[in-house]
Amino acid sequence: MLFKTLSCTAAVMCLTGTVTAKELKVLAIGNSFSVSVTRNLPFIVNHEKKHKLVFTSAYIGGCSLERHSNNLRKAEKNPQFRPYSITVWDSEKALPGYTVQPVSGNVNELLKKNQYDIITIQQASGFSWKFGTYEPYAAELIAYIRKYQKNAEIVIQQTWSYRCDDKRLEKWNITPAKMYQNLRAAYQKLAEKHQLRVIPTGDAVECFRAATPKKFVPDAPGKIYKEPELPDFSGDVVGSSQWRTNAKTKQRYLFTDPSHLNYQGEYMQSVLWYAFLFNEDATAITYRPENIDADTAELLKNSAQKALQNYVQVK
C-alpha cells in the first residue's frame, strides 16, 4: 500500500515535489472547496515576493466529477454552454483591495486556449467519501485534460470532512472521523490509479483539530442568539455563522455553515497550496491576514506543514 494513516505526531519525512518553476499558471477545476483558496493564495504569493502565480478558478457550487465530465460533453456540442464562473487571479496585482470579476465560461475553452503548469481536480464534498462516485468521471476528465494540456501536471486536492454538527453526517450515519477516513482512502485510490500527486487539505484540517488546545463544542439544542451575536467556532477551521436577510420575509436569521472552511481554514488552505505549489516551508510564510492573530497563524501554518510532510505521495 502506498499510503499510511495520517499521524500528526509522526516523524517528519522529506518533501519531494516535482514542481521547480517559480512562475506558475494554475487552473482549479472544482467547486466552493477549491475557490476558497483564492481568498489568500494570490496575496501570499505577492507578499512573499519569491514566486509569481496566475490562478484560474473554474467554479460551480457543489460540482461533482460526474457533472464536470458531463459539462465537457455538453460544451463540445455547444460552445455557448458556459456554466462555470471563471476568475483569474494574478499574484503581481494582489495588493489590498484587489478583486476579480467573474465571467461565464467552460473548461473546454480554458484548456484549448491556454497552457497551464498545474491543473487541480477534486470530488464534490458530499460524494468525497464514496469512491464509487469518482469513476469513470475522473478518468474522463483526466483524459480530456491530457488531450489538450500535455505539459500540465494534474493534481488532486483532497477535500475535508464536515464539522461534527453538520446534519448530513447523521443522515449518512457516519461521523466526521469516518467521513475523513473514507474520503482520504478514496482520494488516495484515485491518486494511485492515475499516478497523481495530492494536496492534503483534509489532512491539514485533521492536524489542526488534533493540535488546537480548544476543541469545538456544538451549541446546546435550542440555544438562541440575538444579532449581532455569533456562535463560537473555536476549535475548528471548518464551519462559520453569519446573519442574513430572508429574501421573502425580510427577516434577519442566523445562518450556520458546518461544511466550508471559515476564514482561518481558508488561510490554512492557502498556506498549504503555496507550500505545495512552490515546494516551500509553510511555517516560513510571513503573510498573515489582519483578522488572524499571530499565535493562531502559527498553529494554522504548522498544521499545513505537518500534513504536507507526512503525506506519502504516489511513487
Side-chain angles (χ1 to χ4, degrees), residues 238-257:
V238 176
S240 61
S241 299
Q242 59 181 259
W243 287 93
R244 295 182 175 181
T245 302
N246 185 294
K248 293 183 179 181
T249 66
K250 307 303 179 183
Q251 296 295 311
R252 298 284 284 171
Y253 69 98
L254 181 63
F255 172 79
T256 295
D257 173 2

Side-chain angles (χ1 to χ4, degrees), residues 254-311:
L254 181 63
F255 172 79
T256 295
D257 173 2
S259 62
H260 291 85
L261 298 173
N262 52 47
Y263 65 86
Q264 293 181 357
E266 291 173 346
Y267 173 67
M268 186 180 71
Q269 181 189 29
S270 297
V271 164
L272 174 65
W273 278 58
Y274 176 85
F276 178 93
L277 293 174
F278 297 106
N279 198 22
E280 293 280 1
D281 183 344
T283 64
I285 292 170
T286 59
Y287 176 84
R288 172 172 60 88
E290 292 183 356
N291 57 353
I292 299 178
D293 63 70
D295 289 342
T296 301
E298 289 304 307
L299 178 57
L300 295 167
K301 291 188 291 183
N302 285 334
S303 298
Q305 185 65 18
K306 286 180 179 179
L308 195 54
Q309 290 176 327
N310 287 332
Y311 194 90

